[in-house]
């Protein structure tokens, strides 16, 4: 219900609020927190949850803010437990939720600060724009608005940013406008299109305000340090919107809902690859003091990822959690200062990992979250010598190797839960002297080897629950040693660190035996039902703590039933001869296969790539998908001479160079998507139809072309169409040199099998020759 009451009633209401010594919120009444009698010290009202007489009661969420300005954030570093009160179905990201950084306001937008003239709470009153103006005017007659430093107008029904009203709060420091409906900014309400001059404003909360964009000068009159814009519908931001925010420390752009209304009708599986927030490539360049950046659960357009290279060199806390990141590239880490990084839930990233992926963060990165991203190898860990916490939960790791952890001497916590890791037979944690906790829950561990036990003995806490471990003496002793310390030597038992060696006369020698202590190790996840062992003979789960001890002594196990030396030697000789023959045959076969694969590997992979693309494209081979099927006929007339596939980043070159030199000089008719695609049809339909109606296909290849999902699809589709129609008119134009490691296999094959032409950037004479060669090729195809 909207509130719009006469001025007289508002004055009476304000008078009652001032007269009462302390008024608390009941229902939907307005709350003005009155003075406590103590002198107001503005320095007490800081941005980190207040202090002194201004202390906050807290909003019920853990406070991750620094204790004092300039100190480290208090983000939990546990590899096993991160954050609380997570929304159902929300991916769990490292930097938590905005509520962890707004202790002075509750989730409903109510203030949590201690009473005083410094706080005015106008939240949850269903006020419209006119009602808010009238209410503040009435309250100002009796309450000094210039003393207000905490102000909440959250969860009302405002449609205009109340800039004229906010002018009256000259010393305002913390402002919440969350939960309103600022959907549009028009010239008709120009006074509401930017914040007023508020020189003391340091924190602005505009979460869940239905924002789709912001005017470029919206923040021009304020000097913010903390800005929260999460849970809006922003799809684009002006390049200049952050120009005046050089003091900004903390920026939250998380949880943007970028679903595009009106495009749901397009039955196009590739639309989800391009829908997201569009950012200018220099978007973050003005934020020279930025320390904290949260983009979690905000999908970015493919070109918007280039904006991440403009992040300045003071940033320490970064979340790219669930943003649709396509690959790990160098410009993501140009800041070289990131200490805590979350790149979880980006499934495509794992395919681009290599040993140098994180080299730029070798001297800074301490905490890395890389969960649920299909990671299957760990060679990329080598440069991260300062890493303290590593979370790889929910990937597809199968084997662990010592080399992967060789440089991680500072690693303290490691989470490998919910992978497919099996037992290992070499000590892999020998270099991780600082390691305290390892989480191996819900993996594929079936047995506990001696080397695993040595690795576990280095820890203070670990988890093994959810694994199907065989009932063995090692497991029984391990569990009893940790849970009840039921061994001959309290806190230790004897295990063999090396395999048994049998002497010449049948005597066995145990080369290295030592006392291994597990007394200090705690199972953080211990539950009797999760630590049962499996008897694979009877296919039953048993409680290892109720099993009898291994009754046969270790000496008896070593010496039992050893064969005579002569018989054993004869048997070994026979076995060795057979083994040598089988091994020789196997090695010869493998060598032949390896040589064949070496010479034909590229063609084999490309053959399967073509089969896969043909299978995908055949899914769309339906009558309703084609605007004009005549393009499939060899003798059909063509509507265009050349179909041009290019990235939006190369649009200027196409319009300023290619178009005038083709259509303006040689009368060659080009098909450009922004000019020639038919309105009312899906993008995919237009691409296929225009290709079929073009005599020749031209790919304008650049680094931006390789980042474009649509350009990649057009390249595969072009090759498929040429094979299907038995045409061979494909022209490749290279605008720049491309690193070999960034070239997809399809493009590499085309560059090897097709003649391409490269655009000269330095010599005018070479450019003239370029156009002459291109004209000749296109006119020949046209003729």
């Amino acid at each position: 219900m909207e509130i719009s009451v006469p001025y007289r009633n508002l004055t009476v209401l304000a008078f009652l609020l001032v007269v009462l010594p302390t008024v608390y919120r009941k229902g939907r009444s307005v709350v003005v927190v009155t003075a406590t009698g103590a002198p107001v010290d503005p320095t007490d009202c800081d941005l980190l949850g207040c202090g002194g007489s201004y202390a906050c009661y807290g909003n019920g969420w853990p406070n991750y803010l620094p204790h004092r300005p300039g100190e480290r954030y208090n983000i939990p570093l546990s590899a096993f437990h991160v954050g609380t009160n997570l929304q159902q179905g929300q991916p769990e990201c490292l930097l938590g939720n905005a509520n962890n950084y707004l202790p002075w306001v509750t989730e409903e937008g109510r203030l949590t600060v201690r009473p005083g003239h410094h706080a005015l709470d106008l939240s949850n009153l269903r006020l419209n724009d006119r009602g808010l103006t009238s209410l503040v005017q009435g309250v100002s007659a009796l309450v000094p608005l210039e003393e207000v430093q905490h102000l909440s107008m959250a969860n009302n029904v405002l449609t205009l940013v109340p800039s004229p009203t906010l002018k009256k709060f000259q010393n305002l420091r913390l402002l919440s406008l969350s939960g309103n409906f600022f959907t549009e900014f028009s010239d008709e309400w120009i006074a509401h299109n930017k914040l007023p001059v508020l020189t003391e404003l340091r924190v602005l909360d505009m979460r869940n305000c239905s924002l789709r964009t912001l005017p470029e000068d919206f923040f021009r009159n304020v000097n913010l340090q903390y800005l929260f814009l999460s849970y809006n519908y922003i799809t684009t931001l002006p390049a200049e919107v952050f120009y005046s925010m050089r003091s900004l420390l903390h920026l939250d752009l998380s949880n943007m809902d970028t679903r595009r209304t009106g495009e749901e009708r397009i039955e196009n599986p590739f639309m989800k690859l391009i829908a997201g927030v569009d950012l200018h490539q220099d978007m973050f360049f003005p934020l020279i003091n930025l320390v904290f950046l949260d983009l979690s659960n905000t999908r970015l357009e493919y070109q918007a990822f280039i904006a991440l290279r403009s992040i300045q060199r003071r940033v320490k806390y970064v979340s790219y959690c669930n943003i649709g990141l396509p690959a790990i590239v160098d410009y993501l880490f140009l800041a070289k200062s990131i200490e805590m990084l979350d790149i979880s839930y980006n499934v495509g990233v794992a395919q681009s990992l290599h040993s140098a992926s994180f080299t730029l963060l070798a001297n800074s990165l301490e905490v890395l979250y890389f969960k649920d991203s299909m990671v299957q190898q760990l060679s990329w860990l080598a440069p991260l010598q300062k890493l303290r916490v590593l979370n790889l939960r929910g990937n597809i790791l199968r084997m662990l190797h010592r080399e992967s952890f060789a440089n991680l001497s500072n690693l303290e916590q490691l989470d490998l839960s919910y992978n497919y890791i099996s037992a290992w037979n070499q000590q892999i944690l020998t270099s991780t002297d600082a390691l305290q906790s390892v989480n191996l829950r819900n993996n594929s561990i079936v047995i506990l080897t001696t080397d695993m036990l040595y690795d576990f003995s280095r820890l203070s806490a670990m988890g093994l629950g959810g694994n199907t471990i065989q009932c063995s003496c090692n497991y029984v002793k391990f569990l009893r040693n940790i849970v009840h310390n039921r061994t001959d030597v309290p806190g230790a038992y004897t295990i063999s660190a090396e395999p048994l060696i049998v002497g010449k006369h049948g005597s066995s020698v145990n080369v290295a035996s030592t006392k291994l202590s597990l007394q200090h190790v705690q199972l953080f996840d211990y539950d009797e039902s999760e630590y049962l062992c499996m008897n694979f003979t009877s296919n039953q789960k048993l409680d290892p703590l109720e099993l009898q001890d291994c009754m046969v002594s270790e000496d008896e196990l070593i010496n039992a039933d050893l064969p005579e030396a002569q018989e054993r030697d004869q048997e070994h000789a026979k076995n060795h001869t057979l083994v040598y023959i089988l091994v020789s045959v196997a090695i010869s076969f493998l060598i032949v296969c390896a040589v064949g694969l070496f010479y034909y590997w590229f063609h084999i992979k490309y053959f399967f790539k073509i089969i896969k693309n043909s299978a995908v494209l055949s899914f769309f081979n339906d009558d309703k998908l084609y605007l004009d099927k005549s393009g499939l006929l060899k003798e059909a007339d063509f509507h265009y001479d050349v179909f041009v596939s290019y990235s939006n980043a190369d649009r200027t070159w196409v319009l300023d160079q290619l178009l005038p030199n083709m259509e303006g000089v040689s009368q060659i008719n080009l098909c450009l998507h922004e000019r020639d695609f038919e309105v009312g049809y899906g993008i995919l339909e237009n691409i296929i139809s225009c290709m079929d109606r073009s005599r020749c296909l031209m790919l304008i290849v650049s680094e931006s072309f390789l980042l474009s999902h649509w350009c990649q699809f057009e390249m595969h589709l072009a090759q498929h169409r040429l094979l299907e129609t038995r045409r061979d008119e494909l022209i490749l134009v290279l605008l720049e040199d491309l690193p070999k490691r960034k070239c997809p296999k399809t493009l590499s094959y085309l560059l090897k099998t097709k003649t391409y032409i490269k655009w000269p950037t330095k010599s005018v004479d070479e450019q003239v020759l370029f156009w002459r060669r291109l004209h000749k090729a296109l006119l020949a195809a046209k003729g």
Side-chain angles (χ1 to χ4, degrees), residues 290-308:
L290 191 67
V291 173
F292 180 106
L293 175 63
D294 190 355
L295 291 172
S296 55
N297 302 310
T298 294
R299 191 171 190 88
L300 299 184
E301 291 271 7
Y302 73 93
Q303 286 187 327
F305 292 107
I306 301 178
L308 303 182

Side-chain angles (χ1 to χ4, degrees), residues 383-454:
L384 301 178
Q385 300 180 17
K386 296 192 67 175
L387 200 63
R388 294 171 51 206
V389 177
L390 176 61
N391 194 322
L392 294 168
R393 176 187 179 100
N395 287 292
I396 53 175
L397 296 168
R398 298 183 182 277
M399 295 295 297
L400 300 180
H401 304 283
R402 180 186 301 172
E403 295 76 15
S404 302
F405 301 93
N407 297 328
L408 305 185
S409 57
N410 293 304
L411 189 64
E412 299 173 5
Q413 299 180 31
L414 175 63
D415 191 340
L416 296 168
S417 59
Y418 293 91
N419 280 276
Y420 300 92
I421 298 170
S422 56
W424 55 91
N425 290 304
Q426 62 170 344
Q427 297 176 38
I428 63 173
L429 304 178
T430 54
S431 302
T432 54
D433 297 330
L435 192 61
Q436 300 175 4
S437 305
V438 173
N439 187 356
L440 288 166
R441 287 179 49 80
N442 293 89
N443 276 281
S444 302
I445 298 174
V446 178
I447 61 172
L448 291 186
T449 66
T450 297
D451 292 301
M452 294 173 69
L453 295 176
Y454 266 102

Side-chain angles (χ1 to χ4, degrees), residues 200-417:
E200 300 297 323
L201 187 63
R202 296 295 179 265
V203 184
L204 176 61
D205 175 18
M206 291 188 71
R207 295 172 294 159
N208 194 24
C209 287
S210 301
L211 295 171
R212 298 191 181 278
T213 187
L214 286 170
E216 62 182 41
D217 58 347
F218 186 77
F219 301 108
R220 181 169 296 176
N221 297 323
V222 294
N223 189 26
L224 295 176
Q225 292 184 4
Y226 294 78
L227 175 60
F228 301 88
L229 294 173
S230 56
Y231 293 99
N232 282 292
Y233 304 103
I234 294 176
T235 56
T236 184
L237 284 172
E240 303 84 0
V241 70
F242 294 143
Y243 273 15
S244 61
M245 304 184 70
R246 296 182 175 271
S247 298
L248 195 69
L249 304 174
H250 184 115
L251 177 60
D252 186 347
L253 293 173
S254 64
N255 297 284
M256 294 294 174
D257 187 348
T258 56
R259 290 174 295 182
R260 299 182 173 186
T261 57
E263 294 184 350
E264 293 81 2
R265 67 175 183 84
I266 303 178
E267 298 178 2
N268 183 358
F270 297 95
M271 184 54 66
K272 64 181 181 180
L273 299 177
I274 63 172
V277 178
D278 189 14
L279 301 177
H280 188 269
Q281 62 180 5
D282 295 326
M283 175 61 65
F284 302 106
F285 187 77
L287 306 180
I288 58 176
N289 289 300
L290 191 67
V291 173
F292 180 106
L293 175 63
D294 190 355
L295 291 172
S296 55
N297 302 310
T298 294
R299 191 171 190 88
L300 299 184
E301 291 271 7
Y302 73 93
Q303 286 187 327
F305 292 107
I306 301 178
L308 303 182
R309 68 183 177 186
S310 66
I311 296 174
Q312 296 298 297
R313 295 181 178 272
R314 292 192 178 185
V315 67
K316 295 181 180 180
Y317 311 91
V318 176
S319 178
Y320 297 146
C321 173
N322 193 31
I323 66 172
L325 190 67
I328 293 292
V329 289
D330 291 345
Y331 63 70
L332 290 175
F333 310 128
L334 289 179
K336 298 183 182 179
S337 58
I338 300 174
E339 295 180 3
M340 300 181 69
L341 174 65
D342 191 348
I343 51 176
S344 303
Y345 306 100
N346 293 294
V347 178
V349 168
Q351 303 302 317
S352 65
L353 290 175
H354 54 85
S355 58
S357 292
F358 293 90
T359 302
L360 294 179
L361 299 182
N363 297 320
S364 64
L365 191 61
E366 297 183 8
V367 181
L368 175 62
Y369 275 55
F370 205 165
K371 303 186 297 183
D372 292 275
S373 299
M374 303 295 285
V375 177
Q376 53 187 332
Q377 52 88 15
L378 299 178
S379 63
W380 49 272
L381 281 174
L384 301 178
Q385 300 180 17
K386 296 192 67 175
L387 200 63
R388 294 171 51 206
V389 177
L390 176 61
N391 194 322
L392 294 168
R393 176 187 179 100
N395 287 292
I396 53 175
L397 296 168
R398 298 183 182 277
M399 295 295 297
L400 300 180
H401 304 283
R402 180 186 301 172
E403 295 76 15
S404 302
F405 301 93
N407 297 328
L408 305 185
S409 57
N410 293 304
L411 189 64
E412 299 173 5
Q413 299 180 31
L414 175 63
D415 191 340
L416 296 168
S417 59

